Structure formats: C-alpha cells, structure tokens
Amino acid sequence: MDTLEAVRRRRAIRAYDPTYHIDDAQVEALLHAARHAPSAFNIQHCRFVVVKDPELRRELRKVAWDQAQVTDASVLVVVCADVDAWKKNPARYFDGAPKEVQDQMAGMIHDYYSGREWVQRDETMRSAGLAAQTLMLAATAEGYQSCPMDGFDYDAVGKLINLPADHVVAMFVVIGRGTQEALPRVGALPDSEVIITDRFPAG
Ligand SMILES: Cc1cc2nc3c(=O)[nH]c(=O)nc-3n(C[C@H](O)[C@H](O)[C@H](O)COP(=O)(O)O)c2cc1C
C-alpha cells in the first residue's frame, strides 16, 4: 500500500473482533515503524506502553468512558512521553556521532529547554502525535484498523499504568481487526478555512 492510500484508508474504527490476535513480532514491527517518527533534537520522548494484561485492559476501559475498543481491539498502546527526557544524558541521543557533535547538541538541548516548562510539555505532545499517527499508518499498511483515543481520565490511567511523575500520557492507540465500516466522512471544513497562504487575514 502506498503512503497516500494508507493516509486515506486510515479511519477511526470503534468496533473490533475481540478474538483476533496480533502476534508479538507484528506488534513489535508496528512499534518499530512508529519509532521512525521524528522527534525534536532526536530526543525520542515517546514511551509506548503496550497493555497485554486483560484485567488491566478492563480497568482502563472503566476509566475510558467504557469505550469497547479498549478491551476488544487486539492491541492497546498507551502513548506516553517523558517530559524530562531533554535532561537525561542528552548526548546519548547522538550516540554514534562524533563527540563534538554530541556535546554541541547536548548544549543546544539544554539552552532550548531549560526553564521553559511549556516547551518541555509541548515537545512531548508534538512527538507523541507524530508517533501515534505513524503507528496508525503502519497498522493501516498492514491491513489493520485503528483508533486514536483521549476519551479517558488521565489521572486514573496514569495510576493504573504506574506513570512516572515526570511522564505524561498523550493518548491511546488501539489496533485490531475492525468489525464495522468507518462512519461516513462528515463535517469537512472548506479548504479556504483550513489552508492559508502566507498569513492569516488581518483583523
Ligand atoms: C486526540 C484524539 C482523540 C480522540 N479520542 C477518541 C476517543 O476517545 N474515542 C473515539 O472513538 N474516537 C476518538 N478519536 C477519533 C476521532 O473522533 C476521529 O479521528 C475523527 O472523528 C475523524 O474521523 P477519522 O479518524 O475516521 O477520519 C480521537 C481522535 C484524536 C485525534
């Protein structure tokens, strides 16, 4: 499947065959694809929590508006991110590059993130969004259906997965064999509202 076809075919699917199994090697391949998503300064903020424990899936569903896909999809990934990744030995994000490059990049990371809490958080969300979409496109290319989700209680989810204090939950991505067609596409805003050339109209 070419990229544009995967982009068009990916839809948010909410009903899944609960008996359908995707094996670990395939899940790993999808996650490795997601890991090719870009991240600012190559910091790789994302942490992918693959929830395999059926009881934990049930608990997560309870705090996710009882949305069936949380338990019924073959795979549930809680896409998280480390807000403090920028200060955890950042030279390692350039491991394999010359030492002077590592030092230079570590210095740039320090200067860019230090004291800018909003940047620290925004960067994790940008990275997580790109990783989640890459994961869903990879799943589409492999013939699966998926759904991004943030309809859940973030604090409750954090507790259930032992989220470290310096991490955030960005969203869920579920993947599996869908059992219903995507809803018709509705409500598309006109290009004239969404695509802007050069500048927003003044005033
Ligand atoms: C950040 C985010 C959170 C979402 N949360 C949910 C959710 O909790 N439950 C759900 O069924 N769909 C959820 N969706 C899916 C959207 O409803 C869906 O992407 C949108 O209606 C467009 O449909 P499409 O993805 O099929 O094109 C979410 C999408 C995004 C991007």
Side-chain angles (χ1 to χ4, degrees), residues 91-114:
R92 70 194 169 119
Y93 306 132
F94 301 91
D95 203 15
K99 172 89 171 70
E100 57 272 24
V101 172
Q102 293 186 25
D103 292 346
Q104 184 191 17
M105 296 308 294
M108 286 173 70
I109 288 171
H110 178 269
D111 294 348
Y112 185 70
Y113 286 92
S114 288

Side-chain angles (χ1 to χ4, degrees), residues 6-38:
V7 168
R8 285 190 208 101
R9 277 205 195 176
R10 184 222 56 79
R11 298 296 313 281
I13 298 299
R14 299 173 174 97
Y16 289 86
D17 176 354
T19 66
Y20 189 75
H21 179 72
I22 301 178
D23 67 34
D24 286 352
Q26 179 75 87
V27 174
E28 198 176 311
L30 295 174
L31 291 169
H32 283 163
R35 294 203 53 198
H36 285 298

Side-chain angles (χ1 to χ4, degrees), residues 20-128:
Y20 189 75
H21 179 72
I22 301 178
D23 67 34
D24 286 352
Q26 179 75 87
V27 174
E28 198 176 311
L30 295 174
L31 291 169
H32 283 163
R35 294 203 53 198
H36 285 298
S39 66
F41 291 106
N42 197 36
I43 287 176
Q44 303 154 75
H45 313 77
C46 285
R47 303 292 179 261
F48 303 94
V49 179
V50 183
V51 184
K52 295 183 173 180
D53 175 1
E55 179 54 31
L56 182 53
R57 295 270 291 259
R58 284 191 286 274
E59 291 298 311
L60 287 165
R61 176 170 167 172
K62 283 184 202 161
V63 298
W65 309 350
D66 195 32
Q67 296 189 75
Q69 61 269 44
V70 176
T71 51
D72 293 355
S74 311
V75 181
L76 167 64
V77 181
V78 184
V79 181
C80 304
D82 182 350
V83 180
D84 283 347
W86 65 277
K87 57 182 170 187
K88 294 178 179 171
N89 184 15
R92 70 194 169 119
Y93 306 132
F94 301 91
D95 203 15
K99 172 89 171 70
E100 57 272 24
V101 172
Q102 293 186 25
D103 292 346
Q104 184 191 17
M105 296 308 294
M108 286 173 70
I109 288 171
H110 178 269
D111 294 348
Y112 185 70
Y113 286 92
S114 288
R116 302 171 81 205
E117 284 76 18
W118 75 96
V119 173
Q120 295 163 19
R121 175 154 177 122
D122 286 358
E123 293 283 64
T124 65
M125 291 300 165
R126 283 188 268 270
S127 296

Side-chain angles (χ1 to χ4, degrees), residues 7-14 64-65 67 69-70 133 136 146-152 154 170-172 182-186:
V7 168
R8 285 190 208 101
R9 277 205 195 176
R10 184 222 56 79
R11 298 296 313 281
I13 298 299
R14 299 173 174 97
W65 309 350
Q67 296 189 75
Q69 61 269 44
V70 176
Q133 176 72 348
M136 292 186 287
S146 64
C147 189
M149 299 176 62
D150 68 2
F152 52 78
Y154 277 74
M171 71 183 87
F172 291 176
L183 296 171
R185 288 188 191 274
V186 293

